Each structure stands twice: as C-alpha cells, then as structure tokens.
Amino acid sequence: HCSSVATYGRNLKQLPMTEDGSHLPESDYGKGKLEADNYLLSKYYQEGLPVTIVKPAISYGPRFGLLRQIGKDIQWLARIKAGLPILVSGDGTSLHQFPA
C-alpha cells in the first residue's frame, strides 16, 4: 500500500519517524491514508494478510516540478543552468521542509 508521511502530521517529535510514533494527520488526505493503513494492518493482525506499507515523503511526475526545500517551483534548475548558487531554507541543515 502506498501511504504517505502525511499520516504523521506536521508536528513531529522525533526524526526519523518510526511507526510507534504518534500519527496525528491534519489534512483529509493524511486522515484517509491513515484510515487505509489501519484497515490493512487490522487485516494483517486478524487474518494474516501480508501487508507492506510504504510512506514516501515526496512524489513527483510530469505535472509537478521536483519538490525541494523552498517549494514546488523549478526555478532552482534555471539557477543551476545560469551558474548561480542554489537557495535553501534556513541554515541549510533541515532534512526536509514542506512548503506552506
């Protein structure tokens, strides 16, 4: 099952996150993914159904630019082509930062 890190919510108390950590999704998307996760896990515990759940932080495709620390735009590619430095959020040490 392809779930999402949206099941954890935004106020993480630890990184990296583990499955025994809190799941406090804020969006309907995250809540729906968590509901699906829990349903599949219940089938595993009750019936032995083999289940694998992956929770990607980012996915991208032909309609979206590659998401970076500073947002969804792809201006960072133009900066690379122009020989300019790439801009990063804060001091550059964050593991990942979702755009607001």
Side-chain angles (χ1 to χ4, degrees):
H1 166 63
C2 187
S3 184
S4 170
V5 296
T7 61
Y8 300 123
R10 290 181 181 247
N11 296 316
L12 303 178
K13 302 214 184 313
Q14 69 183 55
L15 284 174
M17 188 59 149
T18 62
E19 285 307 299
D20 58 352
S22 62
H23 288 79
L24 300 169
E26 298 170 20
S27 67
D28 289 340
Y29 174 79
K31 291 173 185 174
K33 287 291 190 176
L34 183 57
E35 187 177 326
D37 295 354
N38 289 336
Y39 174 78
L40 290 170
L41 288 172
S42 74
K43 292 298 178 185
Y44 167 74
Y45 289 118
Q46 294 169 5
E47 302 170 19
L49 177 74
V51 174
T52 299
I53 299 174
V54 294
K55 295 189 179 196
I58 296 297
S59 57
Y60 65 96
R63 296 187 310 178
F64 302 104
L66 181 60
L67 189 64
R68 286 191 60 250
Q69 289 179 316
I70 57 175
K72 295 180 184 177
D73 71 63
I74 56 173
Q75 292 300 311
W76 62 278
L77 293 172
R79 293 183 67 81
I80 290 173
K81 288 178 183 176
L84 298 171
I86 298 172
L87 304 175
V88 296
S89 299
D91 64 3
T93 61
S94 66
L95 296 177
H96 184 79
Q97 179 176 346
F98 290 100

